[in-house]
Amino acid sequence: MVPLVARRVLITVPLVVVVSFLVFLMIDLVPGDPAVKLAGENASAERIEAIREQLHLADPLLTRYLTWLGGSVTGDLGRSFVTNQEVGGLLWTALGATASLVLVTAVLMVVIGLVLGITAAVNHGRAADRIVVALCSVLVATPSFWLALLLVVFFAVDYAIFPAIGFVPLTEDPARWLYHLVLPGLALSARPSAELTLQLRAALTEVLQRDFVTAASARGLTRAQIVGKHALKNAAVPAVTVLGFRLAEIIGGAVVIETVFSLPGLGPLMVQSVLGGDVPVILGIVVLTMLWVALFNLLTDLSYLYLNPKART
Amino acid sequence: MTGTATPAAARTTPEPAAQSHRVSTMRRFLSDRMAVAAVVYLVLLILAAVFAPVLAPADPIAQDLAKRLTPPDGTYLLGTDDLGRDQLSRLLYGARVSLLAALEAVAVGVVVGVPLGALAGYVGGRVDTVIGRVMDSIMSIPGIMLALTAVAVLGRDITIAMMAIGVVLVPQFQRLVRASTQALRNETFVEASRTIGCSRSRILLRHILPNVLPVLVVQMSVMLGVAVTAEASLSFLGVGVQPPAPSWGSMLNNAVANTFTAPYLIYPPGLAITLTVLALALVGDGLRKATSIRRRSGEGR
Amino acid sequence: MTEPAVRTASVSDAAQHTLLDVRGLEKSFVRSRNFFGRATAHHAAVRDVSFSLAKGETLALVGESGAGKSTVGRLVLRLIEPDAGSVVFDGTDVSTLDRRDLVRFRRRTQMIFQDPYGSLDPRIDVGTSVGEPLLIHDKLPRAERDRRAEELLDKVGLSRRTAAAHPSELSGGQLQRVAIARALALEPDLIVCDEPVAALDVSVRAQVLNLMTDLQEELGLSYLFISHDLALVEVIADRVAVMRQGEIVEIGPAEQLYSAPRHEYTRELLAAVPVPVPPSLRTGRVARA
Ligand SMILES: Nc1ncnc2c1ncn2[C@@H]1O[C@H](COP(=O)(O)OP(=O)(O)OP(=O)(O)O)[C@@H](O)[C@H]1O
Ligand SMILES: [Mg+2]
């Protein structure tokens, strides 16, 4: 376990340092006045001046970078150019919505993946199996944000069953929290669910053909018992691995889905900051993203270790 | 161990080959109906993109506010958007923009990833370890985030965004080429090349890379799909292809504001993206199956 | 270690001269590494191996799987670097060769491998493979290479038309002949044969071995013949070295080793040979019809 944690730390810490430094470097290297560039088109002179001051553009590159790095290590990520709010606070609020979305997505992934994966494996080679495989192949190719639009048109426009936009914090009203996250969760989980389904189907099909399963059915166990007791346990390792790695990278997909549904998460915050040249917020989100990915990769590694005791050395 | 060889048997000549290696690979691919259908679709798509100026019924950026949000009819086969632009024309021109953008990203991935993979796989040791660590790091940045950051600091431009996506694709190619090179490097024919005096570069270029090519083509096909989706996502967010230029993603960006009044706008670009990604995956699958021949071994005849 | 007399009458005085002299070779491989790529465990594959090989002579290297035979073959050809010891080829220490001299060394030494199906680049036609050494060393033009390749294929008993075939279209025996043709292209002095017939059908083995002995007589080749098959070795080898766990436990003239093995392990190996070798074959030549 310790080596796994060490490994992730050894990958993540230099990565965060290098990427954030590259951002500073790029701002400097881009030809033209960075302040003008970052402020975007039609920016007022005050705005440009404010950015110049906020970024300490008069200081040398390294000083600026080390100041930022020193601040971040102590938890001070600076203030937004646009709203002047603390970046830490902005991120914390946005993370609430993003984490909510990912939580719902993860649950949907597991449920959809298990149901479809087991259905396909148990009906190996039959119509149900082939339908599941075809559906999953199409879902893997479908861009999540387009699926989101289709869901909105169907469930929010044609039949007003679910809301098209908006977010209610979990602490405020759990029922409405979930109600607002069903469509975004479905859209975001479609592709990873399809991958998980195919993965489970492959693993289960393989396990169901092994000798001990035949032996178990000879002992009179029902198919459901076999799947539940033996097959799923054996198929769990690859499935959990897929789940973990997908949850790590889902933060990228969440950006787009949150924008479609106007969820106040990291996605819209990132897009606004990019459009407004809000460097402190962008840096904060980038660092947060890398930590997110590292955390989920680590959790995946650890769960692999837990499920696969042989790998513990 | 017997000693009964006759001179006649010693002078064996090969049976004239019924069919060459290449022909049978081709035949295997053609027997995969889904893959063939996918190729046909992609060829038509490329033709549509190339001949967009001929095929498009209208100028893709010409606005006609009098005709805004016209649902599909005889004149506007796919309707018009909120600025009265013909959607079919935008879809055709959009194919150009989207495919070129995807190609840019994949080109970056291949040009950087393949040499790094070959180097790591062939040289191994410390070089491999260092390159591997860098690739691990790149893999832990979601492509969209990297592209958004690049656009924020370097400027809002689809080429910059797709270069960033290309960076994220580098490890995908590097890992594949590394693994194949490592496998090939231990093949007897590579060791044989060394014994006849081939230089390292000759072995890599003449013996290893040509043998990596089949899996590389499969990977390029799949990664083109990834890049098409990435372009669409970025343009959808408004940080990729900039208006008024059409791309499938920017068309959806435009459509989303009119979901309630003109839902017909969301179907054509989304279908185009989905079909293209699906077709690229199917072609990749077909190629993988057709080129992975079981290796012969064991008994001589 | 004694230098036993070379056996057959056909070997002339010139052949008595030592072509290859190996002293104290050592090689170990890394067994595991830590996170930083630093080696944490080693495995000694070759330990203090010494032998010599005369011009025109065949020395067999026998031993069970994993004994280190192939590793010795690779060390001799400097395909891998030894940890210690020296390989002297025709008076020159191979480890001192720079890039240019190494290329010259490569033209005088060749190798034939166990797996005929894997010895040739699957994407290149047989003629091009056979002609490749002539491109690398002599920069011969394409037409000339093709002509020589066809001659070589003819020499190893294959039709000239084979040149146009791809490896996947040939049988194991044919492929091994192609490999021999390529090895001969540069008229080398030494060929390391790593189990050259182990993967072939019994009937094809004899043909390929006959070809190899014929060529040896004609061209004065020396063979380092690696095998785990003692019955086969007795037929082709002048001298035999027995390896176990990286070490040579016994080395000597073939007849002596077979009739009066000195080392316990050699006796074990001989006892395991399934069929006693018929005396008719002990002349060192595979009987031909
Ligand atoms: N490149 C390598 N890396 C690590 N270990 C190796 C390598 N090459 C050989 N070894 C190890 O060295 C030992 C000797 O291997 P070698 O191939 O020389 O044996 P061999 O006598 O030729 O056996 P075989 O009859 O199976 O070919 C084996 O334990 C093998 O696993
Ligand atoms: Mg060997």
Side-chain angles (χ1 to χ4, degrees):
Chain A
M1 168 165 172
V2 175
L4 282 179
V5 177
R7 197 189 136 91
R8 281 295 157 201
V9 171
L10 276 170
I11 289 174
T12 308
V13 171
L15 180 69
V16 169
V17 172
V18 169
V19 169
S20 53
F21 181 72
L22 278 179
V23 171
F24 275 87
L25 187 69
M26 290 298 168
I27 291 174
D28 241 39
L29 288 183
V30 173
D33 186 339
V36 174
K37 192 124 193 167
L38 287 170
E41 286 143 43
N42 317 322
S44 64
E46 296 92 76
R47 185 70 212 294
I48 295 171
E49 201 40 53
I51 290 182
R52 203 188 307 280
E53 209 165 288
Q54 293 261 15
L55 274 179
H56 302 288
L57 283 173
D59 294 349
L61 172 66
L62 210 59
T63 316
R64 260 183 286 148
Y65 177 64
L66 291 178
T67 310
W68 175 83
L69 193 62
S72 335
V73 171
T74 58
D76 175 15
L77 288 161
R79 285 173 178 277
S80 159
F81 290 170
V82 180
T83 62
N84 204 34
Q85 285 170 283
E86 289 227 6
V87 173
L90 279 174
L91 293 187
W92 184 247
T93 315
L95 191 60
T98 298
S100 297
L101 173 59
V102 171
L103 180 64
V104 172
T105 304
V107 172
L108 284 171
M109 252 179 91
V110 173
V111 172
I112 298 173
L114 275 177
V115 170
L116 292 184
I118 293 176
T119 308
V122 171
N123 295 294
H124 185 65
R126 272 175 272 175
D129 183 23
R130 265 176 277 146
I131 290 170
V132 167
V133 170
L135 177 72
C136 289
S137 313
V138 173
L139 282 182
V140 166
T142 311
S144 60
F145 66 93
W146 185 54
L147 189 65
L149 291 178
L150 293 182
L151 290 173
V152 167
V153 168
F154 190 78
F155 287 107
V157 179
D158 291 354
Y159 307 89
I161 303 173
F162 289 106
I165 56 168
F167 177 70
V168 176
L170 177 64
T171 46
E172 210 168 278
D173 184 344
R176 294 191 56 225
W177 171 82
L178 186 61
Y179 180 59
H180 277 89
L181 287 172
V182 171
L183 290 189
L186 272 177
L188 190 54
S189 69
R191 194 198 145 101
S193 296
E195 282 173 341
L196 190 63
T197 302
L198 293 175
Q199 171 70 52
L200 257 178
R201 169 186 175 271
L204 282 176
T205 308
E206 197 259 329
V207 173
L208 283 175
Q209 278 159 0
R210 277 200 229 145
D211 290 346
F212 74 87
V213 174
T214 320
S217 65
R219 272 187 281 126
L221 291 180
T222 67
R223 216 168 167 72
Q225 282 172 317
I226 294 172
V227 169
K229 275 203 181 134
H230 299 283
L232 271 180
K233 208 164 71 192
N234 279 276
V237 176
V240 168
T241 308
V242 170
L243 182 73
F245 287 136
R246 291 298 163 265
L247 287 181
E249 65 185 27
I250 212 161
I251 187 119
V255 170
V256 195
I257 294 300
E258 286 169 0
T259 307
V260 174
F261 291 96
S262 300
L263 298 180
L266 291 168
L269 184 61
M270 181 70 175
V271 174
Q272 281 160 26
S273 308
V274 168
L275 295 179
D278 201 345
V279 176
V281 180
I282 294 172
L283 275 170
I285 295 180
V286 168
V287 171
L288 186 62
T289 306
M290 288 186 283
L291 295 179
W292 172 290
V293 173
L295 179 68
F296 276 92
N297 281 340
L298 179 63
L299 288 177
T300 312
D301 291 346
L302 290 178
S303 65
Y304 181 80
L305 209 65
Y306 173 75
L307 290 168
N308 215 20
K310 267 178 261 161
R312 273 181 237 174
T313 37
Chain B
M1 168 83 242
T2 57
T4 53
T6 62
R11 282 201 163 252
T12 46
T13 51
E15 294 300 310
Q19 55 184 35
S20 94
H21 178 69
R22 263 153 241 255
V23 172
S24 62
T25 303
M26 183 61 114
R27 192 169 294 177
R28 265 192 301 264
F29 183 81
L30 289 179
S31 70
D32 183 344
R33 259 179 293 160
M34 293 297 270
V36 173
V39 168
V40 170
Y41 167 82
L42 289 174
V43 168
L44 290 177
L45 180 68
I46 291 167
L47 288 177
V50 171
F51 294 107
V54 185
L55 295 170
D59 181 343
I61 56 175
Q63 304 183 6
D64 182 355
L65 292 180
K67 297 276 166 57
R68 61 195 299 269
L69 296 179
T70 313
D73 61 19
T75 325
Y76 302 103
L77 289 178
L78 299 177
T80 63
D81 66 9
D82 53 352
L83 296 172
R85 297 176 296 197
D86 179 47
Q87 287 300 283
L88 178 58
S89 306
R90 286 181 75 72
L91 193 72
L92 289 169
Y93 276 92
R96 278 185 163 192
V97 179
S98 297
L99 292 182
L100 276 178
L103 276 176
E104 278 171 8
V106 172
V108 171
V110 170
V111 167
V112 182
V114 171
L116 285 180
L119 187 72
Y122 194 68
V123 176
R126 195 81 25 110
V127 174
D128 181 25
T129 312
V130 170
I131 295 179
R133 292 282 172 271
V134 174
M135 294 299 134
D136 278 353
S137 303
I138 295 179
M139 296 234 299
S140 52
I141 313 176
I144 296 263
M145 282 295 184
L146 189 68
L148 284 169
T149 312
V151 165
V153 285
L154 297 176
R156 227 177 288 166
D157 177 64
I158 185 65
T159 305
I160 288 173
M162 292 320 281
M163 295 288 148
I165 297 294
V167 169
V168 180
L169 296 185
V170 165
Q172 306 286 335
F173 289 102
Q174 194 272 344
R175 294 199 151 193
L176 175 88
V177 172
R178 172 183 176 273
S180 320
T181 304
Q182 263 181 348
L184 284 164
R185 180 198 136 98
N186 294 325
E187 287 281 322
T188 311
F189 77 85
V190 171
E191 195 164 25
S193 309
R194 294 183 61 203
T195 63
I196 63 171
C198 288
S199 61
R200 268 187 180 199
S201 55
R202 185 178 168 84
I203 291 175
L204 263 178
L205 293 176
R206 292 275 306 156
H207 296 293
I208 291 187
L209 282 182
N211 281 287
V212 173
L213 204 59
V215 282
L216 190 60
V217 171
V218 171
Q219 184 78 332
M220 281 166 68
S221 180
V222 176
M223 289 302 132
L224 267 175
V226 171
V228 165
T229 308
E231 182 280 323
S233 306
L234 290 166
S235 299
F236 175 74
L237 291 177
V239 296
V241 171
Q242 294 301 304
S247 89
W248 295 340
S250 64
M251 289 174 75
L252 284 171
N253 173 305
N254 215 269
V256 75
N258 305 293
T259 333
F260 286 86
T261 44
Y264 61 86
L265 288 176
I266 68 169
Y267 302 114
L271 262 179
I273 299 165
T274 306
L275 283 179
T276 305
V277 176
L278 190 60
L280 287 165
L282 288 171
V283 170
D285 260 9
L287 284 175
R288 184 177 3 236
K289 283 183 204 141
T291 51
S292 62
I293 325 155
R294 263 170 273 114
R295 254 200 79 197
R296 296 198 299 164
S297 60
E299 291 300 277
R301 276 158 289 152
Chain C
M1 210 157 292
T2 54
E3 279 306 311
V6 173
R7 174 181 50 89
T8 53
S10 67
V11 179
S12 65
D13 286 348
Q16 302 283 356
H17 125 111
T18 302
L19 181 68
L20 178 72
D21 192 46
V22 172
R23 289 293 144 220
L25 272 190
E26 305 266 350
K27 178 74 184 176
S28 57
F29 291 107
V30 174
R31 183 160 266 174
S32 62
R33 290 180 188 280
N34 64 10
F35 174 78
F36 300 99
R38 217 161 273 146
T40 52
H42 295 267
H43 166 75
V46 171
R47 287 186 280 186
D48 193 21
V49 163
S50 305
F51 61 85
S52 67
L53 177 62
K55 204 163 166 40
E57 189 191 23
T58 299
L59 171 68
L61 210 51
V62 299
E64 66 198 355
S65 184
K69 308 180 297 289
S70 300
T71 306
V72 170
R74 291 194 181 98
L75 287 168
V76 164
L77 295 188
R78 208 179 152 191
L79 293 171
I80 50 179
E81 305 288 336
D83 299 335
S86 66
V87 174
V88 177
F89 179 80
D90 204 14
T92 313
D93 187 339
V94 171
S95 65
T96 64
L97 299 177
D98 61 19
R99 258 166 86 120
R100 273 205 355 261
D101 288 334
L102 189 63
V103 173
R104 273 186 221 130
F105 169 68
R106 295 255 175 265
R107 87 173 295 151
R108 298 188 58 192
T109 57
Q110 286 298 315
M111 186 151 178
I112 300 170
F113 299 88
Q114 169 170 356
D115 177 12
Y117 300 99
S119 310
L120 297 167
D121 188 334
R123 299 184 72 81
I124 293 179
D125 69 62
V126 160
T128 309
S129 279
V130 172
E132 195 179 6
L134 299 167
L135 171 69
I136 291 162
H137 294 273
D138 297 335
K139 308 272 181 301
L140 287 188
R142 171 102 220 179
E144 179 70 5
R145 286 198 323 261
D146 289 348
R147 197 183 58 72
R148 289 275 296 129
E150 289 187 7
E151 277 174 24
L152 286 160
L153 290 171
D154 187 59
K155 192 179 193 82
V156 298
L158 292 171
S159 140
R160 286 170 186 256
R161 280 182 303 141
T162 315
H166 273 260
S168 62
E169 296 159 3
L170 300 183
S171 70
Q174 289 170 333
L175 289 170
Q176 209 57 311
R177 284 167 191 270
V178 172
I180 295 172
R182 177 174 57 181
L184 293 176
L186 296 166
E187 300 171 359
D189 300 307
L190 168 67
I191 302 185
V192 173
C193 315
D194 192 351
E195 314 239 13
V197 297
L200 303 181
D201 259 3
V202 171
S203 59
V204 183
R205 278 186 194 181
Q207 299 168 18
V208 172
L209 284 178
N210 281 339
L211 174 67
M212 290 178 60
T213 44
D214 285 350
L215 290 168
Q216 179 170 42
E217 251 162 51
E218 186 186 334
L219 305 170
L221 296 167
S222 303
Y223 288 140
L224 180 60
F225 192 95
I226 296 171
S227 178
H228 60 264
D229 183 345
L230 275 170
L232 185 141
V233 159
E234 184 170 22
V235 170
I236 193 159
D238 300 311
R239 284 190 306 137
V240 178
V242 180
M243 277 190 84
R244 188 181 60 171
Q245 291 173 11
E247 288 173 313
I248 292 186
V249 296
E250 179 166 3
I251 183 166
E255 304 88 12
Q256 191 181 313
L257 190 126
Y258 280 81
S259 55
R262 273 171 298 159
H263 196 279
E264 174 66 22
Y265 182 65
T266 312
R267 280 193 283 274
E268 265 173 45
L269 282 182
L270 283 173
V273 174
V275 194
V277 182
S280 64
L281 288 184
R282 297 203 171 186
T283 55
R285 194 76 182 84
V286 182
R288 318 183 81 161

